[in-house]
Amino acid sequence: MKKVIVIGAGAAGMMAACRAAECGADVLLLEKNEKAGKKLYITGKGRCNLTNACDTEELFASVVRNAKFLYSSFYGFSNGQTMDFFRENGCHLKTERGMRVFPVSDHASDVIKALERKLHKEHAVLRLHTEVADLLYEETGGRKRIAGVILKGGRREAADAVIVATGGLSYPSTGSTGDGYMLAERGGHTVTELLPSLVSFRIREPYPGTLQGLALKNVRAFVMTAEKGTLIYEGFGEMLFTHCGVSGPLILSASSYYGETGKDSGCILKLDLKPALTEAELDRRILRDFAENRNKRFKNALGGLFPSRLIPVMITVSGIDPEKPVHAITKEERKAFVAVIKNWNMTIAGTGDFSEAVVTKGGVSVKEVNPGTMQSRKVDGLYFAGEVLDLDALTGGFNLQIAWSTGYLAGESAAAGCGK
């Protein structure tokens, strides 16, 4: 019986261990934390958006980096098969807005229990409080191949194949401290630049601080370079103001495209607060509001346009005297106000750090991994799965689907070939 060691009992690691054991391998799953699935417990605010029930085309379109690399993984273990897996292992599912899939109970623990049931059923061994310090190698016919792992403390565990599924750098409190990157680099692999992704933006202007906690729905956002106005991202959805910036689903998706371009040249976040209306339509709407409130001061005539907390900020941005009577506002001022509502610009000062990022952008270069097996092109018998790879996607269950699919393929391949 072939021995497979999986490093990391997160989403990808547990799925890899389940599949390798199911394929007949002797599986040892090593986890340095006190429990399996520690990061899974907090995903989706504890509800665990475990996949997305969209069609395959949208699944690929939602992967931001290296989508083509996932062809074999996604078709080998699709989102539909993922849902079947969890149902078959006792986790009932429901689909919500945006085709996001959650456990019916709204408890991430049910997702972890389903994986643990499968591990137990297939006789995979889970060993907690066990940290891997390094990988063991041997030379065979001029090729480097895996021989096992060295545990912290010096103990050695032999194996025919090792799957590295240690996650990234996001939420380091859950144990995601970049161990897999270190193991990969020591084995001669390239690790691309690591950046926080699916994360909030910090804003240079003071507006967010006064609006902290305010959520805006049905907003269109654009991220563009400050210097040349190159469009990096455009999206529609919900956003939230924080004490020093902006967050929410719309902004998290925008952050996936920010990366190096934003750091190099500076970026502007442009908000269209009334995307359902053209500038001409919005102007007519404001004219009607002004006509109904013609004798009021400007500051008291905007209740129909914005939430109350947003009104003082929009007055400041407009440059119109808040005490000015509505009937005294000029056409030019009104037109400029319309333009501000449709094009509210804020300067992005950067993103939040890894402590709040949902996933890591960057990782083990996919050029050095076989997409049909998840095996290293440099070391026989060494496989990678999940967030440790240079793969990331939009919010909505897509990143976990990457973990399930790559984990499943890595487990299957390791059990079948073990690098031979």
Side-chain angles (χ1 to χ4, degrees):
M1 183 181 290
K2 295 169 182 174
K3 175 73 174 287
V4 176
I5 290 177
V6 182
I7 308 173
M14 283 193 282
M15 183 59 77
C18 287
R19 184 56 179 161
E22 189 175 44
C23 290
D26 175 14
V27 176
L28 175 61
L29 176 57
L30 304 178
E31 171 55 54
K32 69 179 182 180
N33 285 317
E34 74 284 0
K35 61 184 177 183
K38 198 166 182 181
K39 185 177 174 183
L40 275 171
Y41 276 104
I42 62 173
T43 60
K45 297 180 181 178
R47 298 176 62 217
C48 192
N49 175 195
L50 61 96
T51 189
N52 193 287
C54 64
D55 59 31
T56 305
E57 186 176 329
E58 186 178 342
L59 191 62
F60 279 104
S62 299
V63 178
V64 178
R65 289 160 72 92
N66 300 315
K68 290 181 180 178
F69 176 84
L70 289 163
Y71 187 90
S72 295
S73 299
F74 277 172
Y75 280 105
F77 192 66
S78 66
N79 48 354
Q81 288 169 289
T82 296
M83 290 184 276
D84 289 342
F85 172 92
F86 284 100
R87 292 189 190 104
E88 289 165 5
N89 288 286
C91 180
H92 302 292
L93 306 176
K94 61 181 177 180
T95 303
E96 297 186 357
R97 180 173 54 86
M99 302 300 284
R100 295 172 302 159
V101 178
F102 294 88
V104 167
S105 65
D106 284 330
H107 294 307
S109 57
D110 284 351
V111 173
I112 298 161
K113 286 174 185 174
L115 290 159
E116 290 177 333
R117 284 189 199 100
K118 182 65 172 175
L119 288 170
H120 181 73
K121 178 183 175 183
E122 302 299 339
H123 307 292
V125 175
L126 170 62
R127 192 184 296 170
L128 302 173
H129 300 288
T130 307
E131 187 171 350
V132 173
D134 210 343
L135 303 178
L136 282 170
Y137 303 99
E138 61 186 19
E139 293 284 340
T140 304
R143 284 280 298 177
K144 184 187 280 190
R145 63 160 294 109
I146 206 74
V149 302
I150 304 173
L151 304 180
K152 189 175 182 180
R155 180 177 169 181
R156 298 185 172 207
E157 291 278 356
D160 299 296
V162 171
I163 302 171
V164 176
T166 49
L169 289 171
S170 58
Y171 295 130
S173 61
T174 65
S176 297
T177 52
D179 301 356
Y181 304 131
M182 176 270 293
L183 295 175
E185 287 181 323
R186 285 184 183 173
H189 297 85
T190 303
V191 175
T192 63
E193 184 175 13
L194 305 171
L195 298 166
S197 190
L198 296 185
V199 68
S200 64
F201 283 146
R202 289 183 285 111
I203 297 298
R204 189 159 293 147
E205 290 79 8
Y207 311 124
T210 65
L211 298 171
Q212 183 178 356
L214 176 66
L216 298 179
K217 295 182 179 180
N218 304 321
V219 172
R220 186 163 293 280
F222 306 82
V223 176
M224 55 192 64
T225 60
E227 189 176 321
K228 296 183 179 179
T230 304
L231 183 66
I232 295 171
Y233 172 81
E234 177 183 349
F236 176 85
E238 182 177 344
M239 62 172 285
L240 174 74
F241 289 97
T242 68
H243 69 289
C244 64
V246 288
S247 188
L250 178 61
I251 302 302
L252 296 187
S253 292
S255 74
S256 295
Y257 296 90
Y258 179 68
E260 277 307 289
T261 307
K263 288 206 307 180
D264 288 345
S265 58
C267 275
I268 299 298
L269 173 66
K270 183 174 79 171
L271 299 178
D272 181 350
L273 300 179
K274 299 293 179 182
L277 302 175
T278 65
E279 288 203 11
E281 290 168 338
L282 179 57
D283 188 41
R284 289 195 290 272
R285 158 76 189 275
I286 291 174
L287 270 173
R288 288 196 301 271
D289 287 359
F290 281 6
E292 292 171 4
N293 299 281
R294 64 183 318 274
N295 293 319
K296 290 184 178 180
R297 293 172 180 171
F298 179 55
K299 66 180 183 182
N300 297 323
L302 302 177
L305 275 176
F306 310 114
S308 58
R309 286 184 61 197
L310 185 57
I311 290 173
V313 172
M314 293 312 297
I315 290 173
T316 300
V317 174
S318 75
I320 300 172
D321 181 355
E323 303 296 331
K324 192 171 189 175
V326 167
H327 63 76
I329 293 174
T330 66
K331 178 181 178 181
E332 290 71 24
E333 287 176 320
R334 192 185 74 244
K335 292 283 188 180
F337 185 42
V338 168
V340 164
I341 296 170
K342 297 288 287 182
N343 301 275
W344 183 17
N345 289 348
M346 287 179 270
T347 309
I348 299 174
T351 68
D353 59 22
F354 283 110
S355 67
E356 64 173 86
V358 177
V359 295
T360 304
K361 183 193 295 290
V364 176
S365 172
V366 296
K367 295 177 182 177
E368 299 171 359
V369 178
N370 184 332
T373 61
M374 294 294 121
Q375 183 177 210
S376 163
R377 296 187 188 275
K378 292 177 171 284
V379 181
D380 293 336
L382 178 61
Y383 298 79
F384 295 97
E387 194 180 345
V388 73
L389 288 161
D390 184 13
L391 300 164
D392 65 277
L394 301 179
T395 183
F398 301 107
N399 286 286
L400 273 179
Q401 186 58 51
I402 291 174
W404 309 132
S405 294
T406 58
Y408 186 93
L409 180 57
E412 184 173 272
S413 302
C418 285
K420 296 177 181 177

